[in-house]
Amino acid sequence: MDPISIIAGILAVYALFTALTAGLSIKSPEPGNPKLPTVSQSRKIPLAVGRTLVTGPNVIEATKYTGKKGSHEETRYYQNIEMAIAYGPGTLYKIFGDEKTAWDGGATPLTDDGQEIFVDAIGLFGHRRTPGEGGMYGYAMYARGDSAGYIFPGWEAKTGRDQPGYPMLSRVKFESADLGFYWGNAPNYRPVSFEYGFLPNPLNQGNSVIGATGSEAANPAYVLYEILKNSEYGTSSPAQVDTASIIAMGTTLANEGLGIRRTWYTESASEIEAEILSLIDGVRYRDPLTGFVA
């Protein structure tokens, strides 16, 4: 790719915070405020287990930011954006704008790569013709975040850049034809958040989900296994695991109805493990005879 195209791509992403039209000024996100969309390689990817809320998505790709005068005094703002949610593979249940429901999957949440829905919330923040109000309007396509990764169809051509597919990272691409996805009538982004569910089942057991529909919790035993073995968000330990003990623990926790619904934004794998062990009153140990971890 030639240098001019690279520079243009960088400008497209930074247009999240810097207007490209004359006289328009967009504020940068407040330092330390994770609820505003950001462009940062330093922020950790959240680990969200059970059906839980994930706030502060990281913007990982975007097209040109456009402000267009409406029929009244309002200026409407458009942009196609790809946002990272959390480690996957997971399920997307709801999309929120400024803590208001922009889309609710109900009985048909998004569970697979390439599933697309239409976000019809044009008055989510108020009247669509009122300055500072408006809403969200356009298509949203989902990537579940499995080990194979997923490149959104046509996204490389639209952005002018190669896309890595981001294995193990669940994402949403907000897009619409012409000007782009509609984000409302205010130059600053309203906070976007997601109701999302990651329910680990590394040992293929029937009790990986604890709780009723609508409040599904993850089985802490299988979250602990993932924390120990996963190379993306865990310790990637080479130790052999006593899977029979993990399964027995999972059965006990399921019978007790003790699940976990939690989003970790900055904690390390060891901190997450310690929190879960405290929750279930457990301890990790190495068998002195077999050397297996349980």
Side-chain angles (χ1 to χ4, degrees):
M1 186 178 292
D2 61 272
I4 294 177
S5 297
I6 294 174
I7 293 171
I10 294 172
L11 288 175
V13 175
Y14 274 95
L16 292 166
F17 314 120
T18 305
L20 298 181
T21 55
L24 183 62
S25 176
I26 299 178
K27 297 178 182 178
S28 297
E30 299 171 20
N33 184 350
K35 287 190 175 183
L36 293 173
T38 59
V39 182
S40 173
Q41 293 183 350
S42 63
R43 285 184 60 196
K44 291 186 66 174
I45 298 169
L47 175 62
V49 299
R51 184 167 176 169
T52 185
L53 183 68
V54 181
T55 63
N58 204 11
V59 173
I60 54 179
E61 185 59 276
T63 59
K64 182 180 178 180
Y65 183 96
T66 301
K68 182 179 180 181
K69 283 291 185 182
S71 57
H72 289 63
E73 295 299 319
E74 84 281 8
T75 299
R76 301 179 182 182
Y77 299 95
Y78 303 85
Q79 189 170 27
N80 299 318
I81 300 177
E82 180 181 0
M83 293 184 182
I85 303 175
Y87 283 111
T91 297
L92 181 61
Y93 299 97
K94 296 180 183 179
I95 299 173
F96 302 97
D98 204 14
E99 300 183 355
K100 301 177 178 68
T101 302
W103 171 80
D104 185 344
T108 55
L110 302 184
T111 59
D112 205 0
D113 292 332
Q115 286 184 304
E116 187 174 60
I117 51 92
F118 191 77
V119 179
D120 187 2
I122 200 166
L124 187 65
F125 312 132
H127 199 281
R128 64 189 180 92
R129 293 194 177 97
T130 301
E133 297 184 1
M136 296 169 63
Y137 191 81
Y139 291 94
M141 183 176 286
Y142 184 56
R144 66 193 299 263
D146 57 25
S147 59
Y150 182 73
I151 298 174
F152 293 113
W155 194 223
E156 291 182 318
K158 181 156 285 190
T159 61
R161 288 179 286 277
D162 293 337
Q163 300 295 329
Y166 298 103
M168 304 303 296
L169 179 60
S170 61
R171 296 164 286 132
V172 174
K173 173 177 64 72
F174 295 95
E175 185 178 6
S176 195
D178 301 325
L179 296 175
F181 191 93
Y182 171 58
W183 293 99
N185 304 341
N188 295 341
Y189 275 85
R190 303 292 184 112
V192 177
S193 54
F194 305 95
E195 187 172 304
Y196 172 79
F198 173 38
L199 300 157
N201 190 15
L203 303 178
N204 298 313
Q205 298 299 299
N207 56 10
S208 61
V209 181
I210 298 175
T213 300
S215 58
E216 298 92 336
N219 192 314
Y222 308 132
V223 179
L224 285 171
Y225 181 92
E226 289 279 20
I227 291 298
L228 184 65
K229 302 300 290 183
N230 191 279
S231 60
E232 296 293 334
Y233 51 81
T235 62
S236 190
S237 172
Q240 290 184 290
V241 178
D242 185 346
T243 55
S245 293
I246 296 292
I247 291 171
M249 184 200 315
T251 300
T252 298
L253 293 171
N255 290 338
E256 293 176 350
L258 182 54
I260 185 168
R261 300 167 63 193
R262 175 80 157 89
T263 303
W264 292 281
Y265 293 96
T266 60
E267 290 81 0
S268 66
S270 59
E271 289 172 329
I272 295 172
E273 179 189 46
E275 181 180 326
I276 296 174
L277 288 173
S278 176
L279 170 70
I280 65 174
D281 195 21
V283 62
R284 175 158 64 95
Y285 72 96
R286 185 184 296 273
D287 190 296
L289 294 179
T290 66
F292 284 14
V293 172

